[in-house]
Amino acid sequence: TKNELISLLENLRKEGKKIGFVPTMGALHEGHLSLVKESKHNSDITVVSIFVNPTQFNDQEDLKRYPRTLDKDIELLKTVDCDIAFAPSVEEIYPEPDTRKFDFGYIETVMEGAKRPGHFNGVGQVVSRLFDIVQPDKDFQQIAIIKNMVKQLKYNIEIIPCPIIREENGLAKSSRNTLLDEEYKKNAPHIYATLKKARNLASQMNVSELKKWIADEINNNPYLETEYVEIVDDTTLKVVENWSEEGTKVACVAVYAGKIRLIDNIVF
């Protein structure tokens, strides 16, 4: 329970231990485990939460379909010497409905925010609740929304970004990959292959031409259908219109492989 976890962590803090935290929705893979390893490198105690958060799903079928593999997850966490696993029930996190509304401004109006209304508000709700329970010194999640929420709520928490972990064929590791049928799984690496080609073509096309090229190249594969392609500033997520704009640029895509929605990105 959250009270047991709070009590345990309070005692560890009294011993001067630094707490690292990796929030997950379970169905763990090498990507998650890389975050645990990073947390252990930077902290004395690492907590991993496993909680499929209902408030960030705008599609109830997607919530039902999301993989849940708690026993396997616990065994995987043991292989990287995770200190504490916290797998609460929905009632434990939301004893009453969470009616809080976060204002993330521009960054919740593009890409995932535009396609999944309410998604980032749900992310803000659950991560802030988990932060209140764990009160970590360090958290591992590369997402502008979380950085914004930490600033809004004045948490004294350091967010440490980590690289995407990929399969050998380039497909970004994701819990949703387990839901892919064999043919879709074979063709999904085409997404990252396209992004790598696009990075090399950036000097030959303007931004809008390159975005169209990425979408067309992905859609040429009969097993894939692009939902969006955006090229954005890596800090503000502001959509880039010209290569001359300052800042690091990132190409972000959402692609359907059958019914399964995959997202990926590459830094230019």
Side-chain angles (χ1 to χ4, degrees):
T1 67
K2 62 186 175 189
N3 288 336
E4 289 171 326
L5 180 60
I6 288 167
S7 175
L8 175 61
L9 292 176
E10 277 178 0
N11 289 331
L12 288 165
R13 272 192 200 89
K14 285 174 186 172
E15 297 173 15
K17 304 291 188 188
K18 183 180 285 185
I19 310 300
F21 178 45
V22 181
T24 83
M25 293 212 300
L28 302 184
H29 51 68
E30 281 298 323
H32 299 104
L33 298 186
S34 75
L35 301 183
V36 178
K37 291 172 187 173
E38 182 71 13
S39 176
K40 287 187 70 67
H41 178 70
N42 285 276
S43 314
D44 301 309
I45 300 293
T46 291
V47 181
V48 173
S49 63
I50 298 171
F51 179 66
V52 181
N53 174 41
T55 72
Q56 70 191 68
F57 285 82
N58 58 319
D59 178 350
Q60 290 305 299
E61 285 305 308
D62 193 20
L63 173 60
K64 285 182 198 169
R65 196 165 50 220
Y66 198 86
R68 293 162 173 83
T69 57
L70 183 58
D71 291 342
K72 184 182 170 195
D73 292 344
I74 298 297
E75 291 307 310
L76 278 174
L77 290 176
K78 287 178 182 175
T79 67
V80 288
D81 296 324
C82 173
D83 300 292
I84 299 167
F86 178 50
S89 65
V90 173
E91 294 73 26
E92 188 78 9
I93 297 297
Y94 300 112
E96 297 173 359
D98 192 335
T99 57
R100 291 175 300 158
K101 296 290 181 191
F102 289 89
D103 181 6
F104 294 120
Y106 176 81
I107 58 174
E108 67 177 334
T109 66
V110 294
M111 299 186 296
E112 294 299 284
K115 299 297 181 183
R116 303 176 68 187
H119 168 68
F120 284 129
N121 198 72
V123 171
Q125 288 174 342
V126 71
V127 177
S128 61
R129 282 177 178 258
L130 290 168
F131 281 178
D132 287 337
I133 294 165
V134 179
Q135 296 180 37
D137 299 284
K138 295 177 181 288
D139 168 75
F140 296 83
Q141 189 171 37
Q142 186 178 14
I143 184 168
I145 288 286
I146 300 300
K147 290 181 179 179
N148 185 293
M149 184 203 71
V150 165
K151 197 177 289 184
Q152 279 190 45
L153 298 182
K154 297 181 171 62
Y155 285 127
N156 185 26
I157 294 171
E158 181 185 359
I159 307 295
I160 300 179
C162 297
I164 293 173
I165 303 299
R166 298 182 179 277
E167 308 280 359
E168 285 184 21
N169 58 19
L171 179 63
K173 285 187 180 272
S174 167
S175 304
R176 294 177 192 273
N177 293 353
T178 62
L179 302 174
L180 291 169
D181 292 342
E182 199 57 40
E183 283 304 310
Y184 289 106
K185 192 175 284 188
K186 274 187 205 168
N187 286 274
H190 181 63
I191 300 167
Y192 185 57
T194 299
L195 291 176
K196 286 199 294 185
K197 286 182 191 172
R199 184 164 59 185
N200 294 329
L201 290 172
S203 61
Q204 301 169 36
M205 301 182 189
N206 65 35
V207 173
S208 60
E209 287 171 342
L210 188 62
K211 281 162 55 171
K212 183 179 185 304
W213 182 88
I214 292 170
D216 290 345
E217 183 72 9
I218 290 172
N219 292 340
N220 280 339
N221 185 304
Y223 291 91
L224 304 174
E225 183 181 351
T226 305
E227 183 181 35
Y228 69 72
V229 177
E230 286 294 358
I231 296 175
V232 301
D233 179 275
D234 77 325
T235 302
T236 65
L237 299 194
K238 182 178 180 297
V239 172
V240 172
E241 295 182 358
N242 296 293
W243 296 123
S244 59
E245 293 175 31
E246 287 186 12
T248 301
K249 296 156 187 72
V250 184
C252 303
V253 298
V255 178
Y256 278 97
K259 292 182 178 177
I260 307 307
R261 188 172 180 276
L262 304 173
I263 57 174
D264 205 344
N265 66 73
I266 194 168
V267 177
F268 279 13

